[in-house]
Amino acid sequence: MSSQVSGIGQIAVTVSDVDAALAFYRDILELPFLFRPATNLAFLDAGGVRLMLSTPQGAGSVGGNSVLYFKVGDIEHHFRTLLDRGAVGEREPQATAELSDHTLWLAFLRDPDGNLVGLMEERRR
């Protein structure tokens, strides 16, 4: 059995209210709901990566998380659509890097706890 890391299997986001966070990630971002084994825990599918929403455990705190970046096509359209659904915008879409075969575009939203949520489009030239 190889000990090489093969990718992300699950990302945990610490939230203050799982119901509010679930409404954001499921209803606004439209990630498919997987299961909810307890009131303080919910799981969604983010393109094959499991997203775990949980209230703080142990010494954890809300809003101090790493940024989640979701891949999208037509970032301007998706950003506007998510704002229309009630998302809070942090930064409008903009080109951030010119790479060898594409331009990286990023935009940012905030979830109900203030966690930064990124949208990214790798726009081919």
Side-chain angles (χ1 to χ4, degrees):
M1 175 181 253
S2 172
S3 63
Q4 181 179 7
V5 173
S6 63
I8 297 172
Q10 179 170 294
I11 297 171
V13 176
T14 304
V15 300
S16 63
D17 181 332
V18 173
D19 290 329
L22 186 57
F24 175 80
Y25 289 97
R26 180 192 59 209
D27 302 336
I28 293 176
L29 294 185
E30 295 187 329
L31 296 180
F33 174 76
L34 294 175
F35 58 97
R36 189 168 184 181
T39 58
N40 67 337
L41 203 55
F43 293 87
L44 300 107
D45 178 19
V49 176
R50 203 168 43 231
L51 177 62
M52 180 182 95
L53 305 174
S54 172
T55 54
Q57 307 296 311
S61 65
V62 170
N65 299 296
S66 300
V67 179
L68 297 175
Y69 290 87
F70 293 98
K71 292 180 182 179
V72 299
D74 192 354
I75 195 168
E76 292 92 346
H77 170 76
H78 278 85
F79 186 76
R80 292 280 159 236
T81 299
L82 297 174
L83 293 180
D84 290 345
R85 290 183 192 152
V88 175
E90 176 71 18
R91 190 176 88 192
E92 298 277 330
Q94 62 185 37
T96 59
E98 295 292 332
L99 303 169
S100 62
D101 63 344
H102 68 276
T103 302
L104 177 63
W105 283 73
L106 296 175
F108 294 94
L109 307 166
R110 293 278 178 186
D111 78 2
D113 286 298
N115 295 306
L116 202 56
V117 175
L119 302 177
M120 62 181 285
E121 177 186 358
E122 294 176 342
R123 193 174 291 172
R124 301 278 172 216
R125 287 198 215 70

